[in-house]
Each structure stands twice: as structure tokens, then as C-alpha cells.
Amino acid sequence: MTYFANTSLSHEHSLDILSLLYGYDSFLDGLVTIADMGCGAGLDAQWWATLETRDDPPEPRNYKVYAVDRSLKHVDQDLRRISNISWIEEDFETEGILPQLVDLMWCHDSFQFAINPLQTLAKWNRQMNVNGMLVMRSEEHTSELQSPMYLVCRL
């Protein structure tokens, strides 16, 4: 598994895929609600909540972001004050954890901790809008190979 020495390194790693998504304006324009499942220190949730358009001048996208993690003790107090992030301290495998359906679920380096991965995916599917999308990075394991896997799909 990939473990990072600190939360900044983890966020830098997730920026690889986030920066790719940033180039798809029509996709980003269609989003309203986002869930960061297994948000850790909340840096990816902050990225989504503060994302701006590529217009000149840029305008805030104002996504409603749900940041979910078993423990929010590592979330900086300044991040907790971002008004369009709702912090949910709960296991992301919990049924009905989100207060509304979301357009996109983001899960970076936390899905490998799911106890019941298939059931979790089914639960998440029930929490997404029609044509909702899951973007997830997890570890792919074999006896001799450990390599990261990105998954982008509509459930």
C-alpha cells in the first residue's frame, strides 16, 4: 500500500488526477455536489470546495462538498471553517451517510481500508445522482506486485 509521510505528500499525489480533471470544463460545470470519501486531513475536500473556473477572471465553482472520514482529528481548524464543506465523522461504509445524493464521489487512497468493498460500492451507488461518477485511487495487490490503480466510472 502507499502510505505517505505526511498529509501534504498525499495531497500532492492526488493532485496528479485532480489536475487532469481541472481541464474538463464541461464535466466540472455539470457538478453541484461532491463527496470526498476517506478525506483524511481534508486537503482534497478543500481543493474541490475552493475550485475556480478557468475564466478570466476566474469565478468560484461553489460546489457543496461532503468530507467523510472515521476521524477528523487531523483536519486543520481553518479548513473546518470553509462554508461549503460539511464534515462528517463516520465510517464511509455506513449506509445513507450523506444527507443528499452527490454528482461525484472522490476517494483517494482510502478505499483499501473498506471491510466490505463490494457492499461499500453498492451503498455509494445508492448515494449518487443519475449519471454520478466515482473517481477513486486504490491499491492493486498481488503476491508480487503492488501498483496504484485509478478507477473512473459511472456506477
Side-chain angles (χ1 to χ4, degrees), residues 1 8 13 18 28 35 39 52-53 61-62 70-71 89-90 92 94 96 101 110 127-128 144-147 150-151 153:
M1 286 186 185
S8 293
H13 188 258
L18 290 171
L28 294 172
C39 69
E52 296 179 328
T53 65
R61 291 192 174 273
N62 293 319
R70 286 183 185 145
S71 173
E89 192 165 19
E90 185 75 53
F92 65 49
T94 304
L101 299 179
S110 57
Q127 300 234 351
M128 284 195 283
E144 297 181 13
L145 174 70
Q146 288 189 354
S147 62
Y150 276 102
L151 171 67
C153 65

Side-chain angles (χ1 to χ4, degrees), residues 43-152:
L43 298 176
D44 292 352
Q46 176 190 25
W47 186 90
W48 285 109
T50 60
L51 189 63
E52 296 179 328
T53 65
R54 295 189 300 163
D55 298 335
D56 188 18
E59 296 179 23
R61 291 192 174 273
N62 293 319
Y63 296 136
K64 174 63 183 166
V65 178
Y66 297 102
V68 179
D69 204 283
R70 286 183 185 145
S71 173
L72 298 175
K73 67 182 179 183
H74 299 291
V75 178
D76 185 273
Q77 290 303 314
D78 288 338
L79 293 185
R80 290 182 188 242
R81 289 191 276 276
I82 298 174
S83 63
N84 56 327
I85 301 178
S86 293
W87 302 95
I88 301 172
E89 192 165 19
E90 185 75 53
D91 188 324
F92 65 49
E93 293 185 79
T94 304
E95 182 78 44
I97 192 169
L98 301 172
Q100 72 181 91
L101 299 179
V102 297
D103 301 311
L104 181 130
M105 280 197 182
W106 171 258
C107 184
H108 181 264
D109 270 349
S110 57
F111 190 72
Q112 64 266 27
F113 300 111
I115 295 169
N116 297 303
L118 293 177
Q119 289 178 4
T120 299
L121 288 174
K123 291 173 186 176
W124 288 1
N125 184 48
R126 291 189 288 272
Q127 300 234 351
M128 284 195 283
N129 283 318
V130 174
N131 294 320
M133 184 176 285
L134 168 65
V135 179
M136 164 169 90
R137 184 205 184 271
S138 189
E139 295 295 320
E140 182 180 310
H141 296 279
T142 66
S143 59
E144 297 181 13
L145 174 70
Q146 288 189 354
S147 62
M149 173 184 74
Y150 276 102
L151 171 67
V152 178

